[in-house]
Amino acid sequence: MRIVFLTRYDPKDINHWSGTLYYMYQQLKKKHHIEIVGPELLEQLNLFSNVSFLKSHVLSDDRYVKTLSRLLLERISILQCDLIFFGDLFFQPLDANIPYIYLSDLIYEKVKVHIKPDLRDIDPGIRLEKQLLDASFKIIYCSEWIKNSAVEFYNLSSNKIEVVEFGANIPTPTNYSIRIDMDVCRLVFIGKNWKKKGGDKVLQAYEKLKTEGFPCSLTIIGSRPEKIPVTDKDLTIIPFLNKEKNEDLIKLCKILSEAHFLVLPTEFDAYGIVFCEASAYGVPSIATDVGGVRQPIREGKNGFLLPPDATGFDYAEKIRTVFSDRESYIKLRVSSRYEFETRLNWDVWGEKVNKILRKAVKEWKDQKINSRNGAPH
């Protein structure tokens, strides 16, 4: 099929959306001819606007959205594709005479509640998202949580929504070991926002375990604690790793290959690609039961979920309990890798999404034929 990949950013660049757009694009182009539309039009529009659509939705500017929609329709009409695939770009519904497939991990209302509470006027965004969701032939979300949220908030039919989990934004590891040295429990925290990702709880859990004589180490990736212990040979802080740099990617994968737990007491996550990456190495995750986190993490299969009010001491107790039963822990590593192999990788995502896209195009064409023949839908 010929597919319009409608997006704000270049999906060939692995740095956007933590690599998620890149891996989606790589999967889709295996089976289809992909036309990328969006980035070049937005750049043109930004030359004539005092706001950047690339940095904010500017959904309150009707003229801007209308102009963008007109340019998108003109470009798409020339391409003569079978389907529009999009999710990170808001526009007015287009009369393109081909089906839309909308993909996302959130709805606009959750952005306001969980990510940007200072967002002033969300009504234009909600109205536009509602129009796009209604106009979409199919909707793909990455979690049951956001599917249920969208059905409730926008009064959508659940029949038009599919849930397909995202994969790990790292190469599939082939050289790793389920059986791992267990003399020291190696904990890993990965997150840019120390506070919102629950970094203080991780540090509290680590210090609690150390105080009680439990042998452990902690590697912090992506951020820096506000209060750093003076000297601790078992604490490693790596403020930034860039997956696009081969040496950084190798370093990240080595850390995961040697880790026993990914610990992330996040205040909110729509999904959590990092849990997929941990599972790729057979590393169980311990995280907060919030948002869409329970989609990648299945209790007792590839990790454990604690309530939002759990303390660092609660995380310490969970780590100690699970790690102390060595045979059960090894079985947990086996099942963690199994969750990656069967659900949490981009090949599985590609297989599922390709079926949805092909079925959508067929159903769309059938509806058009039935409509012309006067048959009921």
Side-chain angles (χ1 to χ4, degrees), residues 149-253:
S149 299
V151 168
E152 180 179 356
F153 188 79
Y154 285 120
N155 193 30
L156 298 172
S157 168
S158 61
N159 293 331
K160 72 186 295 186
I161 304 175
E162 303 283 352
V163 173
V164 183
E165 291 143 326
F166 294 157
N169 290 347
I170 56 175
T172 297
T174 55
N175 189 18
Y176 71 99
S177 177
I178 291 296
R179 289 279 172 181
I180 188 171
D181 175 74
M182 294 185 65
D183 291 339
V184 175
C185 181
R186 290 182 285 275
L187 310 175
V188 177
F189 167 92
I190 302 176
K192 290 182 180 179
N193 191 315
W194 176 256
K195 182 179 183 304
K196 289 187 177 297
K197 294 296 183 180
D200 288 334
K201 289 184 181 182
V202 173
L203 197 55
Q204 184 184 48
Y206 167 70
E207 291 173 341
K208 172 72 172 174
L209 292 169
K210 292 277 285 187
T211 300
E212 295 179 350
F214 184 84
C216 62
S217 66
L218 173 62
T219 300
I220 296 168
I221 301 173
S223 59
R224 181 179 291 274
E226 296 177 1
K227 296 180 181 179
I228 305 173
V230 181
T231 56
D232 187 340
K233 64 180 179 61
D234 296 320
L235 177 63
T236 303
I237 300 173
I238 306 172
F240 179 73
L241 285 178
N242 183 353
K243 291 179 186 176
E244 193 175 20
K245 294 182 178 179
N246 192 52
E247 61 269 29
D248 281 6
L249 179 61
I250 291 173
K251 190 173 187 178
L252 171 63
C253 292

Side-chain angles (χ1 to χ4, degrees), residues 73-109:
L73 181 58
E74 290 175 358
R75 180 84 175 95
I76 291 169
S77 298
I78 294 172
L79 295 173
Q80 297 183 333
C81 289
D82 301 294
L83 177 143
I84 298 172
F85 180 87
F86 74 103
D88 70 336
L89 181 59
F90 277 9
F91 52 90
Q92 291 179 329
L94 308 175
D95 186 17
N97 201 33
I98 54 176
Y100 306 163
I101 305 295
Y102 181 94
L103 179 142
S104 187
D105 62 345
L106 273 178
I107 58 173
Y108 208 69
E109 182 258 348

Side-chain angles (χ1 to χ4, degrees), residues 299-328:
E299 185 75 12
K301 298 292 186 181
N302 61 335
F304 301 93
L305 298 168
L306 275 60
D309 60 355
T311 66
F313 296 161
D314 295 323
Y315 279 85
E317 183 58 32
K318 175 60 73 173
I319 291 165
R320 177 178 30 244
T321 300
V322 176
F323 191 74
S324 296
D325 187 341
R326 299 201 169 197
E327 285 307 311
S328 293

Side-chain angles (χ1 to χ4, degrees), residues 4-7 35-38 40-42 44-45 64-81 83-84 86 89-100 132 364:
V4 173
F5 195 120
L6 201 55
T7 176
E35 294 283 356
I36 300 168
V37 176
E40 76 289 356
L41 297 181
L42 293 175
Q44 292 173 28
L45 273 175
Y64 196 85
V65 174
K66 287 179 180 178
T67 303
L68 173 63
S69 302
R70 177 175 55 78
L71 292 174
L72 290 173
L73 181 58
E74 290 175 358
R75 180 84 175 95
I76 291 169
S77 298
I78 294 172
L79 295 173
Q80 297 183 333
C81 289
L83 177 143
I84 298 172
F86 74 103
L89 181 59
F90 277 9
F91 52 90
Q92 291 179 329
L94 308 175
D95 186 17
N97 201 33
I98 54 176
Y100 306 163
L132 287 171
W364 171 271

